[in-house]
Amino acid sequence: MPLDTVHTVHVVHVGQEPPQSWTAAVYLSGPTPTDPAEPSWRADAVAALRSAWSGAGRLVVFVPEPAPGGAYPAYADQIAWEEEAMRRCDVVLFWIPRDMARLPGLVSNIKWGAWCDSGRAVLGTPPEAERMEYLLHFAGALGVPVERTLAGAAAAALRAIGAGRARTGAERAVPLTVWRTEPFRRWYADHRRAGDRMLDARVEWYAPAAGPAGEAAWLLTVTVGPGDGSRAPAPVRLLSAQGQGMLM
């Protein structure tokens, strides 16, 4: 069977290196039980994604917990791994079953605040979760999909991904929300024809399309290595404005 027709799910645990290529990537964000006797919800999330993923290629799922039998890295290393994984993912799937006595999810509030307007968030929270009104308010205001079951949140994440797009190396740092836009595709095609190499990328700002016929606006910092070797790799900033194409 050709590789581009095989759909697989690759789980990357904290401290592990991700594969060099993927079609889509999801980060599982939310509170982690501190009681070792309480199972983590992330195993069920991975199972739901695995059973529903039908895209051609590899779906990577970032899990900020150690692999079975493993251990957490140092705290600073944990944070660095999480931040790197989140910036490279196509969807940040939040599952917040908040119980203030058992699973308060305080760090999840910070992560939600950082990613709720990224165009990549999905919010899952059961009806009985405590103190979720503020998060739900902004989910509604920002058009973030909201689901009340973990399976529903996984399905919403895959709907946002759709068929995905194959990316390798530094291309993995460009999420689907930007990768699919015509201004980025045109810019990247021009630079590839010139022999230039994309070495890294980071989304600095994103605004969704104003309507069904509109296009998203975004600001992307890209490190480009000139194909002719005439100068050192350098960062460039690309701004795509709604209805105006690439401005810089």
Side-chain angles (χ1 to χ4, degrees):
M1 182 180 294
L3 283 178
D4 61 358
T5 65
V6 176
H7 52 271
T8 60
V9 174
H10 184 122
V11 178
V12 181
H13 291 272
V14 66
Q16 296 178 342
E17 291 294 324
Q20 280 298 304
S21 63
W22 61 59
T23 298
V26 175
Y27 183 95
L28 300 182
S29 186
T32 301
T34 56
D35 183 352
E38 181 174 357
S40 171
W41 57 270
R42 290 189 176 92
D44 289 338
V46 169
L49 291 167
R50 194 186 300 277
S51 67
W53 170 243
S54 60
R58 179 187 290 128
L59 170 67
V60 167
V61 183
F62 289 104
V63 174
E65 299 179 30
Y72 282 99
Y75 192 60
D77 294 336
Q78 169 95 20
I79 293 173
W81 183 93
E82 291 181 5
E83 291 298 304
E84 183 69 7
M86 293 178 86
R87 83 173 178 96
R88 290 179 178 272
C89 72
D90 297 307
V91 172
V92 183
L93 192 168
F94 287 89
W95 178 248
I96 308 180
R98 194 188 316 277
D99 180 323
M100 295 306 297
R102 181 181 55 83
L103 204 63
L106 301 182
V107 173
S108 299
N109 290 345
I110 302 297
K111 291 188 179 293
W112 167 257
W115 290 93
C116 63
D117 62 352
S118 67
R120 295 187 253 170
V122 167
L123 178 60
T125 183
E128 67 274 14
E130 300 173 2
R131 299 189 182 181
M132 289 297 298
E133 292 82 2
Y134 195 77
L135 281 69
L136 288 167
H137 169 81
F138 278 98
L142 295 167
V144 174
V146 174
E147 296 290 340
R148 292 305 202 170
T149 66
L150 184 53
L158 294 181
R159 284 195 299 272
I161 287 168
R165 292 291 189 278
R167 286 153 291 165
T168 188
E171 295 173 346
R172 299 168 301 162
V174 182
L176 290 170
T177 48
V178 173
W179 183 272
R180 287 171 168 154
T181 63
E182 192 275 336
F184 175 80
R185 293 197 306 270
R186 185 174 62 248
W187 175 88
Y188 191 42
D190 289 345
H191 279 266
R192 291 189 69 180
R193 280 193 294 270
D196 295 342
R197 295 169 296 118
M198 181 164 59
L199 304 178
D200 197 9
R202 179 183 293 272
V203 178
E204 309 288 359
W205 169 77
Y206 178 85
E215 278 208 336
W218 44 264
L219 176 64
L220 187 72
T221 298
V222 186
T223 303
V224 177
D228 60 7
S230 60
R231 60 189 186 279
V236 297
R237 306 195 91 185
L238 310 177
L239 173 63
S240 178
Q242 293 170 339
Q244 301 180 60
M246 194 82 77
L247 298 183
M248 58 187 295

